[in-house]
Amino acid sequence: MTLIKSISGIRGTIGGPAGDTLNPLDIVKFTSAYATFIRRSGKCNSNKIVVGRDARISGAMVKNVVCGTLMGMGYDVINIGLATTPTTELAVRMTGAEGGIIITASHNPRHWNALKLLNNEGEFLTKDDGNEVLSIAEKEDFDYADVDHMGQYTDDDTFDQRHIDAVLALDLVDVEAIKKAKFKVIVDTVNSVGGIILPGLFKALGVEAKFLNGEANGDFAHNPEPLEKNLGGIMGEIAKGGYDLGVVVDPDVDRLAFIQEDGKMYGEEYTLVTVADYILDHVKGATVSNLSSTRALRDVTEKHGCTYYAAAVGEVNVTTKMKDVKAVIGGEGNGGVIYPESHYGRDALVGIALFLSSLAQKGLKTSELRASFPEYFIAKNRIDLTASTDVDAILVKVKELYGKEKDVQVTDIDGVKLDFPDKWVHLRKSNTEPIIRVYSEAHTMEEADELGKKLMQVVYDMQ
């Protein structure tokens, strides 16, 4: 059983002893620490905190503990119920709340759950803020409200429609073109909240949609991470013919993957690439993704005469960089689209609407649209180390070794990334176990894997 405390929140498996799992005692402790942090930061003084959750089986239990604790801390709770991560983010802004807690373990299996923490902008906490919450939790430095100052509780189920309306109102979402295209899609929402909100979005866009695993019961029909190895069911259905596109989301609907009309994966990395290309067709500006995302975004950005920037891995790092360079689009290669015109958070609804707008305006099949982008393949490997290995020292040695090469660009904002003229490799240490993650990309999978294993050998030789 596992309990992981980090700057982004608390995550763990359900059931088992206190301190080792995600259980009521630790939920109370961490929620109290977050509420204490919000009280001390005092940025808007609305006294409201939004709570939303995905459809996990443990969600009702966790929600009840979280909401009761927030009320005990003197906060008024706006419970928006079963809701996507981006819906909850938007709800914080729409209500003028001081913060929000999202109860979701994202793509983790059904026996996991988590608390993800938002500031008053509906965005994830910064590293410094997250560390402050962890410090408060460690000290158990809490002060609960007396009986006359306890918080109030309100249910509000209006935010799904408000989220859909906000997507439809975006200037570059071409509703008329999408309706005219008469798309027919099949959608896998893996038995979570996508099955609640996406029917309304597709109906508003005039898209005929068939849903697989659409009941939001939290009993995931397959591993919920939207990767090809987990999507045999929907890929097989599309391969039978009759659909323009397959759409897959994770349990909290911030990641988005597509499947072509021929039943083949569009490529999770190319969700952001496609949306960015569409945005840059209409508005020029910078783009951002993390260091482990495909180079195709850089290629597409430069094709439009614009500048690409890389950020450290992690959504808050990407959004921070986007703000710094005033990016018009950004995100992560795991299917996370961040569109500032909507909000600074990964949002599958926004991604779907912009992708369909591009497809409709260009009049292409999904496979034809995919073929219009540079072809890259990413290999993912790992180096297992002993607990005593000095990972930081190894990465410094890699940086020094390749920093002498004229045709290699070295980036060290998050581990070490080596950019060669036609490929790259990124080495970064895990925060939770003694390993180095090795991601590499090239024009063929064989070449990408070969590059990754070459660097793995370099590291082994250093030990």
Side-chain angles (χ1 to χ4, degrees):
M1 310 303 276
T2 304
L3 181 66
I4 301 172
K5 301 173 184 178
S6 72
I7 60 170
S8 60
I10 184 171
R11 174 168 55 102
T13 52
I14 298 296
D20 290 334
T21 63
L22 190 68
N23 60 81
L25 287 177
D26 285 295
I27 294 168
V28 168
K29 179 179 177 179
F30 203 77
T31 303
S32 299
Y34 169 71
T36 300
F37 164 78
I38 292 294
R39 182 76 71 205
R40 291 175 181 174
S41 64
K43 292 185 177 178
C44 64
N45 299 313
S46 74
N47 206 51
K48 296 183 288 189
I49 292 180
V50 174
V51 177
R53 70 179 180 95
D54 71 15
R56 288 171 187 274
I57 296 169
S58 60
M61 179 275 288
V62 178
K63 182 267 294 184
N64 289 337
V65 176
V66 166
C67 291
T69 302
L70 291 173
M71 293 168 67
M73 290 294 296
Y75 273 100
D76 296 331
V77 174
I78 302 174
N79 172 44
I80 67 171
L82 292 170
T84 75
T85 283
T87 304
T88 309
E89 292 169 346
L90 286 169
V92 171
R93 288 172 47 186
M94 290 174 175
T95 59
E98 290 201 56
I101 296 180
I102 308 167
I103 302 168
T104 175
S106 191
H107 62 272
N108 287 108
R110 65 198 287 275
H111 60 293
W112 286 76
N113 215 327
L115 309 185
K116 295 185 177 182
L117 311 177
L118 304 174
N119 62 21
N120 65 306
E121 296 291 334
E123 299 169 14
F124 290 116
L125 301 187
T126 64
K127 180 179 180 180
D128 288 344
D129 289 346
N131 281 329
E132 179 64 19
V133 173
L134 292 176
S135 176
I136 294 170
E138 184 67 25
K139 297 173 184 175
E140 297 192 13
D141 184 15
F142 318 136
D143 185 10
Y144 295 100
D146 62 37
V147 69
D148 294 316
H149 296 90
M150 292 173 61
Q152 302 299 309
Y153 176 91
T154 304
D155 286 313
D156 190 337
D157 63 0
T158 65
F159 287 96
D160 277 358
Q161 188 58 52
R162 292 168 74 174
H163 187 179
I164 292 170
D165 291 344
V167 172
L168 299 177
L170 293 170
D171 287 343
L172 291 184
V173 172
D174 194 339
V175 177
E176 293 308 312
I178 295 172
K179 287 182 175 180
K180 188 177 296 185
K182 299 186 183 300
F183 290 123
K184 185 176 181 181
V185 304
I186 186 167
V187 189
D188 186 346
T189 56
V190 71
N191 304 108
S192 193
V193 291
I196 298 174
I197 193 170
L198 290 183
L201 176 67
F202 285 118
K203 182 178 180 180
L205 292 172
V207 174
E208 181 182 345
K210 175 183 177 180
F211 282 79
L212 300 179
N213 309 315
E215 184 181 359
N217 58 19
D219 193 10
F220 305 148
H222 55 77
N223 185 308
E225 189 165 14
L227 302 177
E228 181 173 0
K229 63 183 180 180
N230 303 325
L231 302 177
I234 186 171
M235 292 173 71
E237 285 295 312
I238 296 176
K240 295 176 184 177
Y243 296 98
D244 298 294
L245 178 69
V247 180
V248 182
V249 294
D250 65 341
D252 67 325
V253 199
D254 63 352
R255 287 176 59 178
L256 173 65
F258 295 111
I259 301 168
Q260 299 172 176
E261 80 287 346
D262 56 7
K264 296 179 181 178
M265 289 295 296
Y266 189 84
E268 192 179 28
E269 289 281 337
Y270 284 84
T271 298
L272 173 59
V273 174
T274 304
V275 171
D277 182 62
Y278 173 70
I279 297 298
L280 294 174
D281 275 337
H282 296 82
V283 179
K284 302 306 178 187
T287 68
V288 175
S289 65
N290 69 43
L291 287 171
S292 287
S293 298
T294 181
R295 183 178 286 188
L297 179 60
R298 188 188 77 177
D299 292 352
V300 164
T301 303
E302 292 176 350
K303 178 194 73 173
H304 285 279
C306 300
T307 304
Y308 163 80
Y309 296 89
V313 174
E315 182 173 338
V316 69
N317 296 318
V318 174
T319 56
T320 298
K321 189 67 174 180
M322 289 177 67
K323 293 174 183 178
D324 288 345
V325 301
K326 296 180 172 55
V328 296
I329 187 68
E332 299 179 298
N334 61 8
V337 174
I338 302 172
Y339 185 42
E341 287 298 308
S342 175
H343 63 118
Y344 279 102
R346 297 183 303 186
D347 191 332
L349 277 74
V350 170
I352 289 167
L354 293 172
F355 186 95
L356 290 176
S357 296
S358 178
L359 200 63
Q361 287 188 6
K362 294 178 179 178
L364 299 173
K365 293 181 179 179
T366 308
S367 60
E368 293 171 339
L369 182 59
R370 173 65 179 80
S372 68
F373 300 114
E375 185 80 349
Y376 289 103
F377 296 86
I378 293 180
K380 298 181 179 182
N381 291 288
R382 56 184 276 173
I383 301 171
D384 293 290
L385 307 167
T386 65
S388 61
T389 301
D390 190 338
V391 180
D392 291 324
I394 289 175
L395 294 177
V396 168
K397 289 180 181 178
V398 172
K399 174 186 173 183
E400 292 174 346
L401 178 63
Y402 283 90
K404 302 172 184 177
E405 302 288 335
K406 292 183 178 180
D407 63 343
V408 181
Q409 177 186 342
V410 180
T411 306
D412 62 358
I413 60 173
D414 183 10
V416 176
K417 184 176 182 180
L418 308 175
D419 271 294
F420 300 89
D422 58 347
K423 54 194 172 185
W424 59 259
V425 60
H426 184 202
L427 292 79
R428 61 188 299 268
K429 68 177 182 178
S430 168
N431 294 322
T432 58
E433 51 187 331
I435 68 171
I436 296 176
R437 303 191 188 281
V438 183
Y439 287 11
S440 49
E441 183 178 63
H443 288 293
T444 68
M445 182 58 77
E446 292 76 17
E447 188 179 6
D449 194 50
E450 179 183 354
L451 176 61
K453 289 178 176 173
K454 177 182 176 181
L455 265 294
M456 291 169 66
Q457 189 59 53
V458 168
V459 171
Y460 288 134
D461 292 342
M462 289 179 174
Q463 297 185 73

